[in-house]
Each structure stands twice: as structure tokens, then as C-alpha cells.
Amino acid sequence: MKRLFSLAAFALAALVGAQAQNVQLHYDLGRTLYDELDARPSVTTTVEMFKPDRWGSTFLFADFDYKNDGTVGAYWEIAREFNLSKNKQWAAHVEYNGGAGSGEIPGGYYALRYQHAFLAGGAWNWASEDFSKTFSVQLMYKYYFKNAHTGVRPFSGFQLTEVWGWQFAKGLCSFNGFCDLWYDPNVNGKLILISEPQFWVNMNKLKGWKGINLSLGTEVEISNNFVFNNKGQNNKFYAIPTIAAKWTF
């Protein structure tokens, strides 16, 4: 579950009427750093799209995880915001999350619990005068549907999301990311946290590289009660970096 292209960039695009699409490739170092994650897929690709209109904006992304024998997991989100104020800072937010996948354990595989979820709430978006800094916060009601594969029952909760973005060094560098905190009665402490700060070097800002919309950088997936280990459990804290490349259209 990753929002690899900063949602803050999408908030910025909404304010200035731009569009954003990109494809990303991440090499995950989790299996190198943690013995209990040695079955974790090392490669993830992400496709993302953002499109504003007169009423608000639409955002979607899809993640695909790979191992040597092909794709082993897929996850996607689609979100819609409806502007509630003329300056587009306040918005109503609705969202769907869902996916499917598997993971290795000794002697076989286990099914990941990508329980489908619907979210609805409000959002507040902010940008500095020169749009080099952006921030967004969302507070939402979250409903999980029943998972027929694992037997997990439907339940209701909440999700708090913060998104930030910072462009500096005349646009050469970007520091952005998000943090999600949500209620889940099936984990220790009944809360799941995931944050993915990212750092990018935007190659099209280099002399002679204009029009080459390639960014190189890294992401660190910081999580608690989110990442599944080889035993099919998600009850620990991890900090997992990646080596990444991104092409923006």
C-alpha cells in the first residue's frame, strides 16, 4: 500500500489546475535488512493519475509487487474530492481501497488481508504563496467490508491522513510524503500507522536535461502493525528504504 508520488503534489496541481501522471519503479530493501521479511517482494511498480475539474479532483493509483515467478500482489486506491470553498482549500473526500496478494511461509503461501474499505470525510489543503510548500490533512470515517478469504468481519473506524510536499534548490530536489493512522481492532493496540517520506532529485532541472522528466531518489516505509512477515503476522515496527526511479508525464 503506497502513495509513491506525493499527494501534496496533487494538492498543488489542484490549486493551479494542472494534471499529473507518473510511473514508478522501487527496489525494496526489506528482505536485506530483516530476516523475517526474506520472502518480501523486492520490486514494486506504481501507476498514478491525478485530474482536477471544475467540481474538485480525482486521484487513483495501482501498486504491483513482483517476484521471480511474476506478479504476486496488487493494490489500488481511488479518491474523489468535491470543493467546498472558492479557494479550494476545503473539500469533501470519498475513497475506495482494495487489493489481493499472497506471501511465502515455510511449506506454502498465505493470503494477505487486503480487506476492501470505503472512506468518507473532509480535507483541508494548503500551499505557500509560491507553491513550493504544500500540506493536506484528511479526517475520514472508514468502513471495512467482510473478507471472505480470511473470515475477518466488517467493522467501522477512522483514518487520519497528513500529506506534505517541499520543493527546494530551484526545483531540483523534492521532499514529500504522507502519514496514515487508522483504527483496526485486529492488531495490537488497535491502530495501524504507515508513513512514506520520499526524497527525489528531479533530473529535468539539470542543465541540458530539460524535457527529461526522470526523478531518482528513495522512499522509507515507516510502519507499525502494517507490514506482514514470513509467518503472516503484521504486529511489528519496520523502517524499510527503497531505491527508486520515477517518470512523470
Side-chain angles (χ1 to χ4, degrees):
M1 185 188 301
K2 299 178 180 177
R3 286 170 230 199
L4 300 175
F5 184 77
S6 170
L7 295 181
F10 296 139
L12 168 60
L15 290 170
V16 300
Q19 299 185 29
Q21 292 78 227
N22 75 90
V23 177
Q24 296 190 11
L25 176 67
H26 283 251
Y27 183 77
D28 188 291
L29 300 176
R31 62 190 302 167
T32 303
L33 299 177
Y34 300 96
D35 291 339
E36 67 269 27
L37 300 182
D38 59 6
R40 179 180 171 90
S42 294
V43 177
T44 297
T45 58
T46 300
V47 179
E48 295 179 314
M49 184 277 292
F50 172 80
K51 185 175 182 180
D53 54 48
R54 62 178 296 187
W55 304 109
S57 61
T58 302
F59 164 66
L60 64 85
F61 82 90
D63 276 347
F64 301 93
D65 296 323
Y66 304 90
K67 298 194 75 173
N68 292 337
D69 54 352
T71 306
V72 295
Y75 175 87
W76 84 299
E77 293 186 5
I78 183 167
R80 174 69 193 183
E81 287 198 354
F82 299 92
N83 297 328
L84 298 178
S85 61
K86 291 184 178 180
N87 62 6
K88 301 182 181 181
Q89 282 191 324
W90 292 96
H93 185 105
V94 292
E95 183 176 328
Y96 166 82
N97 305 166
S102 63
E104 280 187 69
I105 58 175
Y109 286 81
Y110 64 88
L112 295 181
R113 188 171 56 79
Y114 286 138
Q115 201 167 356
H116 293 213
F118 169 79
L119 301 89
W124 180 77
N125 303 309
W126 172 86
S128 62
E129 189 172 342
D130 62 356
F131 297 107
S132 63
K133 302 179 183 68
T134 60
F135 182 76
S136 177
V137 61
Q138 304 158 15
L139 181 60
M140 297 167 286
Y141 163 80
K142 189 171 189 177
Y143 177 79
Y144 275 104
F145 296 91
K146 180 179 179 179
N147 191 316
H149 298 288
T150 63
V152 177
R153 296 180 179 180
F155 63 90
S156 298
F158 73 91
Q159 179 168 307
L160 176 66
T161 296
E162 303 88 22
V163 185
W164 67 90
W166 178 28
Q167 299 260 346
F168 57 99
K170 297 182 179 180
L172 176 63
C173 299
S174 302
F175 175 68
N176 46 49
F178 75 92
C179 182
D180 285 341
L181 176 70
W182 71 92
Y183 170 82
D184 187 327
N186 301 295
V187 300
N188 295 338
K190 300 185 178 181
L191 290 174
I192 294 178
L193 172 73
I194 179 169
S195 180
E196 293 182 353
Q198 307 162 1
F199 175 78
W200 297 102
V201 176
N202 305 308
M203 309 303 288
N204 60 0
K205 298 300 181 179
L206 296 174
K207 186 176 181 180
W209 287 63
K210 184 177 181 180
I212 302 177
N213 298 323
L214 175 68
S215 299
L216 301 176
T218 184
E219 170 191 277
V220 181
E221 181 178 325
I222 301 168
S223 70
N224 192 56
N225 293 337
F226 178 75
V227 173
F228 283 85
N229 61 25
N230 295 351
K231 297 180 180 180
Q233 300 172 337
N234 60 326
N235 56 1
K236 291 184 65 177
F237 172 87
Y238 292 101
I240 303 171
T242 73
I243 301 170
K246 174 177 68 176
W247 187 272
T248 302
F249 298 94

